[in-house]
């Protein structure tokens, strides 16, 4: 539980000052900034928009590929009338490691590039005056960062990122930054758990509020028209919502829970959030929302767009939702890191089932890069056999999961957690690691959502050692592309079906969904007969998968890779990025999108 997990809200007692815009920016390859007083201003700055990834605004390769420390600096005017409360700067994310200084004093440090943190500035602020805000960010990857990677050094000493994953290592202040004013006695956390009896007209929502003081709280529930439907007092309790309208897949309904700390002279603090009343559970080969089995149609995605990189862009985000709705999709996975909170609020409103993934990607040594793997230099111990992984990385992973669950636990759209993407689960050393993180998430999620991970091709049924921990099975499989691509695609279906049947035998009762499958496709390349990379071939691959999915009624979802083409590290496997998108990077459909749309539109969200 931490105040940072509450999305900033303007209320009767809270104030927000936007800090987005143009900041000063400078690389610090020698890491001399702190020593040389960069906390008071950067010596040779360039302008940098916030939010944005810095990489693609530059025209030179050194800047784009820059790896190491870099600084952001701005001046912040703090209204004097806010000196009777808490002043926190809230960073929605800083990728991957940040140290924050205000007026030269260090006020916060945070690791993990995709989750929010706050810097309390009460002790250092100059009220009614301009304040220096400096942020030293670092984008180096290691075995102890999530995501996982390495830093290589070129002959001239320049550092470069060597991620153990394909998406580009975009970094910087990629989401919003805001100054938040709250009363000293304030609401610091809210959790909700719905209980739905499909045959009853009412539903019960248990709630728990954490505050920094001892006054009592009230909770008022309003419906979408703003009418009050229920209220309760006390820091925890149960609220009955009469004639409840449930949050359903693609038919969302959101109540507003307004929490107030009540003092002798009135309201001390007020906070609100939107809440969808729904349950989610896994039972008898099905994923159930409000007791009804769902069929997931959707995508693995990335936060990625031209020039912005991973910088949050509400326009691109809106287009992605419109494209997903046009396709008849009802779900997505936040591959491979927690997405901006604005995305989850939109998913709440649109009724999307989100599989919320933490940035535990690259936990497989042989995948570190294709050349290393081919020459054998990358093959010594496997990832989970390394002692530092079992100790330090595990702690980082657990801390990040706590922050993730803390931030996202109220969202109705967040229906499952993905704890890792494509880890090496072939070795027994993975087992205690998995146990630790799966147990933790069960313990800290008040809604006890289903937990899973995305399984890699190299850990098929019978080889994988950790699937017992998953509540449902998610498979990333590339029959028709990395295996049996092109003419031999005919071999893909029987091979995949054999593996699926083995999973079903080994994990009876567990629903299976596909979290990745697909084929790289260059938009505009048409071939008759098809060849790999052509638009025709992508359709053929998706058709093969559709036939596989339709063969088993314990398959509960399909999420092809990827919604859009996206930027990757350069290399022989990629042509200016990963081209497995159903849409191009500028969000226009490829031929396969039209085919898949027809399939999905004909398929109900609650299929069984
Ligand atoms: C995977 C990874 C994903 C890659 C994808 C690919 O299995 O999970 O991050 O982008 O394969 O296209 O190779």
């Amino acid at each position: 539980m931490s105040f940072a997990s509450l999305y900033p809200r303007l209320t009767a007692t809270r104030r927000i000052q936007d800090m987005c815009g143009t900041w000063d920016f400078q690389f610090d390859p020698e890491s001399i900034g702190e020593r040389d007083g960069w906390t008071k201003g950067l010596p040779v700055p360039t302008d940098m928009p916030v939010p944005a990834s810095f990489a693609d605004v530059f025209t030179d390769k050194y800047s784009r590929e820059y790896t190491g420390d870099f600084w952001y600096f701005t001046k912040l005017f703090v209204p004097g009338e806010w000196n009777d409360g808490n002043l926190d700067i809230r960073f929605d994310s800083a990728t991957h490691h940040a140290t924050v200084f205000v007026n030269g004093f260090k006020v916060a440090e945070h690791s993990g590039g995709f989750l929010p943190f706050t810097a309390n500035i009460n002790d250092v602020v100059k009220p009614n005056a301009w304040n220096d805000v400096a942020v030293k960010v670092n984008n180096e990857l290691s075995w102890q960062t999530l995501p996982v990677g390495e830093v290589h050094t070129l002959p001239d000493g320049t550092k470069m990122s060597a991620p153990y994953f394909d998406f580009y290592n975009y970094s910087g202040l990629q989401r919003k930054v805001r100054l938040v004013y709250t009363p000293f006695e304030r609401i610091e956390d809210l959790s909700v758990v719905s209980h739905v009896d499909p045959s009853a007209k009412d539903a019960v929502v248990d709630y728990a509020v954490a505050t920094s003081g001892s006054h009592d709280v009230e909770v008022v529930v309003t419906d979408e028209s703003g009418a009050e439907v229920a209220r309760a007092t006390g820091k925890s309790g149960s609220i009955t919502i009469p004639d409840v309208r449930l949050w359903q897949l693609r038919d969302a309904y959101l109540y507003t829970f307004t929490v107030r700390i009540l003092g002798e002279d009135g309201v001390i603090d007020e906070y609100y959030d939107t809440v969808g009343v729904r349950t989610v559970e896994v039972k008898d080969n099905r994923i159930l929302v409000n007791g009804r089995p769902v069929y997931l149609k959707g995508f693995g995605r990335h936060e990625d767009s031209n020039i912005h990189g991973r910088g949050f862009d509400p326009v691109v985000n809106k287009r992605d939702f419109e494209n997903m709705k046009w396709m008849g999709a009802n779900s997505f996975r936040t591959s491979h890191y927690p997405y901006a909170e604005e995305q989850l609020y939109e998913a709440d409103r649109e009724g999307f089932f989100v599989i919320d993934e933490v940035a535990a990607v690259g936990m497989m040594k042989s995948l570190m890069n294709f050349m290393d793997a081919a020459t054998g230099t990358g093959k010594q111990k496997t990832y989970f056999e390394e002692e530092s992984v079992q100790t330090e990385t595990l702690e980082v992973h657990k801390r990040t999961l706590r922050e993730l669950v803390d931030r996202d636990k109220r969202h109705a759209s967040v229906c499952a957690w993905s704890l890792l993407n494509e880890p090496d689960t072939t070795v027994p050393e993975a087992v205690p690691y998995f146990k630790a993180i799966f147990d933790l998430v069960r313990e800290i999620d008040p809604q006890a959502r289903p937990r899973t991970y995305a399984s890699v091709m190299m850990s098929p049924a019978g080889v994988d050692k950790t699937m017992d921990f998953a509540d449902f099975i998610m498979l990333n499989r590339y029959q028709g592309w990395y295996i049996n691509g092109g003419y031999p695609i005919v071999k893909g279906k029987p091979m995949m079906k054999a593996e699926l049947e083995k999973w079903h035998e080994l994990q009876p009762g567990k629903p299976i969904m596909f979290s990745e499958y697909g084929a790289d496709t260059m938009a505009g390349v048409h071939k008759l007969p098809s060849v790999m990379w052509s638009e025709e071939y992508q359709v053929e691959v998706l058709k093969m998968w559709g036939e596989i999915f339709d063969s088993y009624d314990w398959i509960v979802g399909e999420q092809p890779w990827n919604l859009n083409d996206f930027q990757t590290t350069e290399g022989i496997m990629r042509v200016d990025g990963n081209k497995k998108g159903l849409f191009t990077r500028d969000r226009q459909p490829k031929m396969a999108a039209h085919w898949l749309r027809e399939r999905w539109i004909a398929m109900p969200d609650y299929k069984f």
Side-chain angles (χ1 to χ4, degrees):
M1 194 277 298
S2 104
F3 171 69
S5 66
L6 290 184
Y7 188 74
R9 300 279 189 200
L10 191 59
T11 70
T13 57
R14 297 179 170 221
R15 298 290 174 265
I16 297 172
Q17 185 169 309
D18 190 6
M19 292 174 66
C20 298
T22 304
W23 290 46
D24 286 350
F25 180 87
Q26 190 169 338
F27 295 129
D28 182 10
E30 315 285 331
S31 297
I32 56 167
E34 253 180 275
R35 188 197 68 195
D36 288 5
W38 293 18
T39 59
K40 300 283 176 89
L42 306 179
V44 194
T46 187
D47 288 353
M48 183 59 67
V50 173
S53 307
F54 69 76
D56 288 350
V57 303
F58 289 112
T59 54
D60 67 294
K61 191 127 179 167
Y62 173 84
S63 303
R64 178 172 194 259
E65 298 294 330
Y66 180 83
T67 302
D69 288 346
F70 50 99
W71 289 72
Y72 287 84
F73 181 89
T74 195
K75 293 262 188 197
L76 170 70
F77 191 88
V78 178
E81 58 273 26
W82 292 358
N83 64 3
D84 60 347
N86 285 302
L87 292 167
D88 295 274
I89 301 176
R90 202 230 200 213
F91 294 83
D92 289 6
S93 72
T95 318
H96 297 283
H97 184 93
T99 315
V100 183
F101 304 86
V102 170
N103 297 328
F105 297 98
K106 180 169 153 183
V107 287
E109 189 158 7
H110 183 261
S111 293
F114 305 97
L115 288 164
F117 64 96
T118 52
N120 184 276
I121 62 169
N122 281 64
D123 292 343
V124 299
V125 74
K126 290 186 226 152
N128 231 20
W130 291 96
N131 292 260
D132 294 338
V133 179
V135 189
K136 181 175 74 167
V137 189
N138 180 284
N139 62 354
E140 293 176 45
L141 303 170
S142 74
W143 282 39
Q144 273 66 56
T145 56
L146 302 184
V148 182
E150 289 179 14
V151 174
H152 293 172
T153 308
L154 298 173
D156 68 354
T158 303
K159 291 182 198 167
M160 64 170 270
S161 296
Y164 288 11
F165 46 87
D166 76 338
F167 55 93
Y168 194 78
N169 186 34
Y170 283 119
S171 47
L173 296 179
Q174 304 185 127
R175 294 180 190 158
K176 289 183 186 176
V177 184
R178 284 167 278 198
L179 174 66
V180 180
Y181 161 83
T182 53
F184 284 127
E185 185 173 350
R186 67 182 176 184
I187 296 150
E188 304 219 306
D189 192 38
L190 166 67
S191 51
V192 290
V193 181
S194 303
H195 303 278
V196 171
D197 172 356
S199 60
K201 279 173 66 193
D202 305 344
V204 173
V205 179
D206 298 337
Y207 72 90
V209 177
T211 73
S212 60
S214 54
H215 284 95
D216 212 356
V217 303
E218 70 169 14
V219 179
V220 177
V221 182
T222 45
D223 65 15
E224 285 189 358
S225 73
E228 180 177 325
V229 295
R231 70 164 58 212
T233 47
K235 287 190 179 171
S236 64
S238 298
I239 298 184
T240 299
I241 302 188
D243 287 319
V244 69
R245 180 141 167 221
L246 298 177
W247 183 96
Q248 301 281 16
L249 207 54
R250 297 296 294 113
D251 181 21
Y253 193 87
L254 296 173
Y255 293 91
T256 298
F257 278 50
T258 303
V259 182
R260 295 190 186 96
I261 303 180
L262 302 175
E264 295 73 29
D265 303 323
V267 176
I268 296 174
D269 188 24
E270 180 180 84
Y271 184 77
Y272 69 87
D273 210 355
T274 45
V275 172
V277 179
R278 62 105 187 86
T279 58
V280 53
E281 66 190 304
V282 169
K283 218 165 132 185
D284 303 334
N285 294 314
R286 299 275 184 259
I287 298 176
L288 308 175
V289 171
N290 302 322
R292 298 164 68 197
V294 296
Y295 191 81
L296 300 179
K297 306 172 280 178
F299 296 93
R301 298 177 56 201
H302 267 299
E303 291 188 315
D304 170 281
S305 66
N306 201 17
I307 305 180
H308 295 245
R310 218 171 301 301
F312 180 71
D313 181 334
V315 182
V316 172
N317 186 44
K318 172 69 179 165
R319 175 69 184 199
D320 282 346
F321 273 86
E322 290 305 313
N323 280 347
M324 289 192 289
K325 289 190 289 178
W326 177 78
M327 292 287 296
N330 57 22
S331 61
F332 61 88
R333 175 170 63 120
T334 70
S335 43
H336 295 305
Y337 37 80
Y339 288 0
E341 289 144 290
E342 290 80 3
Q343 292 233 37
L344 297 180
Y345 281 110
E346 191 149 357
D348 289 344
R349 287 193 298 273
E350 296 286 2
F352 274 74
F353 184 116
V354 176
I355 300 169
D356 200 356
E357 187 161 278
V358 75
V361 52
M363 293 187 158
M364 166 159 308
K365 217 174 163 186
S366 55
L367 277 189
M368 66 166 78
N369 77 42
F370 292 93
M371 294 312 281
D372 274 1
T375 54
T377 53
K379 271 278 181 199
Q380 298 117 26
K381 281 179 177 174
T382 64
Y383 186 75
F384 290 103
E385 286 173 298
E386 288 288 337
E387 201 194 317
S388 64
V389 169
Q390 295 287 346
T391 52
E392 287 173 63
T393 313
L394 178 59
E395 283 316 305
V396 171
H397 203 155
K398 285 162 78 175
R399 179 177 51 72
T400 311
L401 284 168
R402 284 183 196 282
E403 290 180 24
L404 173 75
V405 174
D406 231 21
R407 189 194 74 161
D408 293 347
K409 63 180 180 237
R410 281 181 303 281
H411 286 282
S413 59
V414 174
C415 289
W417 307 109
S418 170
L419 276 48
L420 318 96
N421 180 69
E422 301 200 335
D424 181 347
T425 59
T426 59
V427 290
E429 285 78 2
V431 175
Y433 189 103
F434 273 59
K435 180 165 175 23
I437 57 173
F438 276 77
D439 284 356
L440 173 74
V441 171
R442 179 47 38 91
E443 182 199 316
I444 61 180
D445 175 14
Q447 297 187 4
R449 292 167 176 89
R451 304 146 301 165
T452 188
Y453 63 95
S455 147
V456 66
M457 279 189 297
M458 286 72 119
S459 296
V463 175
D464 166 274
K465 298 205 179 336
T466 50
M467 200 53 87
D468 285 346
F469 296 112
D471 298 309
F472 65 97
I473 299 174
M474 271 196 331
L475 302 178
N476 293 358
R477 293 293 183 272
Y478 284 97
Q479 291 289 348
W481 190 252
Y482 296 122
I483 318 180
N484 297 320
Y487 199 25
I489 189 175
V490 283
K491 292 200 279 177
K493 195 155 95 176
M495 272 181 72
M496 191 64 241
K497 288 179 87 167
E499 195 202 333
L500 271 171
E501 281 159 29
K502 187 141 189 204
W503 276 120
H504 187 58
E505 184 193 317
L506 292 173
Q507 301 283 336
K510 272 190 197 173
I512 300 180
M513 64 166 287
F514 278 78
S515 39
E516 284 184 29
Y517 59 96
D520 278 278
T521 305
M522 292 299 291
V525 172
H526 288 280
K527 289 296 267 192
L528 190 63
S530 76
V531 292
M532 291 173 79
W533 296 92
S534 67
E535 296 210 25
E536 285 76 6
Y537 187 71
Q538 190 179 30
V539 176
E540 279 165 38
V541 169
L542 295 188
K543 276 189 179 160
M544 172 193 74
W545 283 105
E547 284 163 21
I548 294 170
F549 305 149
D550 295 343
S551 309
Y552 304 103
D553 81 341
W554 31 263
I555 292 196
V556 299
E558 46 189 87
Q559 295 189 337
W561 192 249
N562 187 287
L563 175 62
N564 303 304
D565 291 346
F566 61 90
Q567 192 53 257
T568 62
T569 310
E570 60 190 334
I572 54 169
M573 304 286 289
R574 305 287 184 246
V575 186
D576 185 27
N578 188 311
K579 298 287 193 259
K580 294 191 187 71
L582 273 292
F583 291 80
T584 58
R585 203 180 187 208
D586 60 3
R587 274 64 183 173
Q588 295 301 332
K590 298 181 192 171
M591 204 170 120
H594 294 277
W595 177 82
L596 191 59
R597 173 172 194 261
E598 273 185 37
R599 171 178 166 82
W600 283 357
I601 295 278
M603 234 182 222
D605 300 313
Y606 294 90
K607 181 181 162 192
F608 300 98

